[in-house]
């Protein structure tokens, strides 16, 4: 017997294209559910929700539900409503996040809170969240409901945890990992696990897909946080330096602070606590992050989790689904290179 | 056969005491669930949630679930988790409402958003909302899940509807009833209906309790909105004149505007659109509302819905449960007299 070792070895330019092709037909049906179920007699609801939902998101999380189900040879239709529910939960958290962060740009567009105000964003988020549970109830699986209700509670806990860590220079890498494990990775994990639930597979298969999603989610967030110290608004579709100006304790800052001398530590403390927020300060921060290899090592951490994601699904049969899921990981970690 | 006609005829001072006594034992168990399930490893969550949950609310909605179940002779324990879920949904909407309204006083205490900020209130609301679904999943009734998921979506729609009606003098009584039917009465209706669901009673019994809760909820909100034009912060536990200053189109304003002459209409348009918001303006508004009998007639409308609530449960056996539910209606409509 020959062991197959799947390595995280980015091809020239890994993309999401194989995954997009893999689930294209299912995704059309999911998109129909999304468009249909964001409707309401109150015109502001589809208007505001549509701004974000039609706004060029990759719909990565529902794609993961579809791809996971495909990996397990599921050929039914139950996962369309559940994948839409996953996307609604994600959209609701984005609407609330933008209020919490006071963001004014997302995916290269003005945020809903900037256009319609914080109140409307909060309430339409609540609506989409409720709708996601209505979709799950229609599906009728208590198991899926439990997984997504739990993920939603964990996401909210992670967001509150992040809120209480903000502007606190003493935040550790461990606490940071706890935060992103909750606020980002929990929904990735749940989205993938749902694929095994609809396919009615074993707990071990559920756990494997959960681990794939969770590790991919952590890698994804690490890269996102690294990009904030390498790039600009044009390539990111969000405001460059947002994390910096909001005093968010992301891994690049945690590493740069830990590795810095007294002068560096004073700079970071001042910055995180809100006393340095000019463009020049941002440029200095980017320089300090680069010089301490804090971005490089944030990306190295991302590759570690990416490799774990790939290993988690190495026991499933090879084929188009597994290949697409592997390339999705490579894409996630390669975005910043 | 003698027909029994139950009349809304307030006793000297109707109270909630009979209902409180009726469900006291069950309510202790519900309170345990509430306290247990608002916990989290993130200290800010129980701290903020506890501020509101321990803050002297009547817990009317979970009481209604318990009383409805009692009316149907249900003697199990399933409704404890569901009643806690109802209260969590209510608490989540209060947290989000106070952010939306920018309120600084609720139940005579400073609001959570004032103490911990809007972001924390939004996120802890999300957490409680997720927890409520976790509790429902533990109960395991898809029917209960469907009722409460639908109520949650309707509440959010009602809140958005109210948001888009704010500062619009042309809002009609019909639209106002639509709004309070969604933002307030839907949860009252669902809370009562859940009582019939756990008791596994017929659809007709479910519908009767739904109608009781819905009409009680409308009466309750009508009286609340009337109180804002009759009372002061001391007796209300909220800021007097909040609705006035926020330009909310409640029935007292709708009636006073409809019945007013040109001078009155100009006053109301200016006030609702935010050009009159001093204490003297509030005093003038209260006078105008009184002179047009707008508060009296708002309360008359409340009695109409109160009578409908009572009639809805007239077919159930007489006894302590039905008596308590009738007196709860009398209490709701008598608060402002």
């Amino acid at each position: 017997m020959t062991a197959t070792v799947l390595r995280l070895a980015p091809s020239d330019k890994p993309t999401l294209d194989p995954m997009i092709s893999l689930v294209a037909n299912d995704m059309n049906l999911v998109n129909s559910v999304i468009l249909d179920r964001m409707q309401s007699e109150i015109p502001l609801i589809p208007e505001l929700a549509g701004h974000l939902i039609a706004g060029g998101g990759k719909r990565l999380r529902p794609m993961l539900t579809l791809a996971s189900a495909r990996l397990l040879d599921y050929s039914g239709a139950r996962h369309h409503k559940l994948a839409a529910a996953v996307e609604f939960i994600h959209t609701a958290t984005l609407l609330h996040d933008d209020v919490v962060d006071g963001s004014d740009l997302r995916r290269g567009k003005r945020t809903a809170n900037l256009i319609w105000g914080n109140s409307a964003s909060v309430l339409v988020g609540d609506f989409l969240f409720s709708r996601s549970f209505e979709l799950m109830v229609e599906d009728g699986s208590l198991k899926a409901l439990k997984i997504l209700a739990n993920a939603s509670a964990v996401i909210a806990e992670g967001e509150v945890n992040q809120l209480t860590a903000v502007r606190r220079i003493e935040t550790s890498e461990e606490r940071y990992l706890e935060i992103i494990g909750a606020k980002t990775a929990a929904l990735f994990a749940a989205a993938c696990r749902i694929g095994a639930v609809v396919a009615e597979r074993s707990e071990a298969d559920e756990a494997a897909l959960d681990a794939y999603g969770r590790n991919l989610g952590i890698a994804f967030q690490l890269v996102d946080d690294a990009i904030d110290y390498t790039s600009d608004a044009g390539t990111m579709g969000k405001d460059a330096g947002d994390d910096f100006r909001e005093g968010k304790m992301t891994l690049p800052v945690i590493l740069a602070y830990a590795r810095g001398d007294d002068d560096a530590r004073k700079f970071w403390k001042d910055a995180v606590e809100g006393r340095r927020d000019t463009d020049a300060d941002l440029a200095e921060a980017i320089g300090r992050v680069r010089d301490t290899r804090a971005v490089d090592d944030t990306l190295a951490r991302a590759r570690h989790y990416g490799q774990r994601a790939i290993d988690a699904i190495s026991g499933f049969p090879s084929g188009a689904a597994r290949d697409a899921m592997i390339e999705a990981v490579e894409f996630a970690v390669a975005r910043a290179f």
Side-chain angles (χ1 to χ4, degrees), chain A:
Chain A
M1 181 185 166
T2 313
T4 310
V5 181
L6 301 170
R7 298 298 305 166
L8 177 71
S11 54
D12 213 12
K13 267 205 171 251
T15 70
L16 278 179
D17 294 346
M19 186 174 282
I20 291 168
S21 304
L22 180 79
V23 301
N25 291 336
D26 286 322
M27 200 64 204
N28 281 336
L29 295 162
V30 173
N31 286 334
S32 300
V33 176
I34 288 173
L35 288 175
D36 181 48
R37 302 312 285 275
M38 67 183 225
Q39 297 308 317
S40 161
E41 284 175 20
I42 315 299
L44 177 56
I45 291 178
E47 197 183 339
L48 191 155
H51 173 78
L52 189 54
I53 286 174
K58 295 177 292 298
R59 303 203 181 164
L60 183 53
R61 292 156 191 81
M63 266 207 290
L64 288 171
T65 301
L66 301 176
S68 298
R70 177 64 62 92
L71 179 70
L72 303 177
D73 286 326
Y74 175 70
S75 57
R78 274 185 55 197
H79 52 348
H80 299 144
K81 279 186 182 166
L82 292 172
V86 165
E87 184 67 2
F88 276 176
I89 292 174
H90 176 56
T91 308
T93 63
L94 291 186
L95 286 171
H96 288 186
D97 275 4
D98 282 342
V99 169
V100 166
D101 294 342
S103 307
D104 45 24
L105 209 59
R106 174 174 298 274
R107 297 174 184 164
K109 292 173 69 174
R110 295 170 73 212
T111 54
N113 49 305
L114 197 71
I115 301 174
W116 290 281
N118 285 340
S119 299
S121 285
V122 169
L123 297 173
V124 174
D126 290 350
F127 173 80
L128 291 175
F129 198 52
S130 304
R131 267 289 149 86
S132 81
F133 279 93
E134 288 193 274
L135 283 165
M136 293 176 226
V137 170
E138 285 174 31
D139 169 67
S141 160
L142 280 168
K143 199 167 188 178
L145 270 157
K146 181 176 181 175
I147 290 164
L148 288 171
N150 179 254
S152 301
V154 168
I155 291 167
E157 279 184 306
E159 300 276 2
V160 178
N161 197 0
Q162 179 171 62
L163 193 68
T164 54
V166 89
R167 300 213 178 279
R168 289 184 182 267
I169 191 68
E170 72 276 15
T171 307
S172 65
E173 177 166 353
E174 276 61 38
R175 178 149 184 211
Y176 165 79
L177 285 171
E178 242 176 64
I179 291 170
I180 67 172
K183 74 162 193 165
T184 307
L187 191 56
F188 275 76
C192 293
R193 184 184 276 265
I194 294 292
V197 170
V198 295
E200 298 180 355
R201 297 289 282 256
S202 68
E203 171 60 35
D205 283 355
E206 273 187 38
L209 282 162
D210 186 294
Y212 167 82
R214 192 171 306 275
N215 284 295
L216 171 58
I218 294 173
F220 184 86
Q221 187 64 56
L222 282 162
V223 173
D224 238 36
D225 291 343
I227 288 175
D228 215 60
Y229 287 92
T230 56
S231 183
D232 61 16
T235 57
M236 295 173 66
K238 65 173 188 174
D239 280 357
D242 263 2
D243 290 352
F244 176 73
R245 289 198 181 80
E246 289 162 17
K248 267 195 193 156
M249 288 301 296
T250 60
L251 192 56
V253 174
I254 292 169
L255 293 179
Y257 176 73
R259 294 167 177 185
D261 56 16
D262 286 353
D263 174 61
R265 291 191 170 207
K266 179 167 183 338
F267 169 83
W268 285 114
K269 191 168 188 323
D270 286 345
V272 164
E273 293 176 358
R275 294 183 297 275
R276 276 175 171 269
D277 60 359
T278 65
D279 285 351
D281 293 326
L282 174 60
E284 182 172 347
I286 290 173
R288 287 182 183 276
V289 161
R290 186 188 56 233
D291 295 346
T292 52
R293 298 188 54 81
V295 160
D296 294 328
D297 283 350
T298 297
L299 296 173
R301 303 281 209 280
R303 285 193 295 276
H304 159 87
Y305 290 101
Q307 180 63 51
R308 283 173 61 176
I310 290 172
D311 282 325
I313 55 167
S314 63
F316 292 110
S318 62
R322 200 179 71 174
D323 287 349
M325 291 173 77
I326 292 172
E327 190 165 336
V329 176
E330 291 167 348
F331 168 76
V333 300
R335 283 178 302 153
F337 296 125

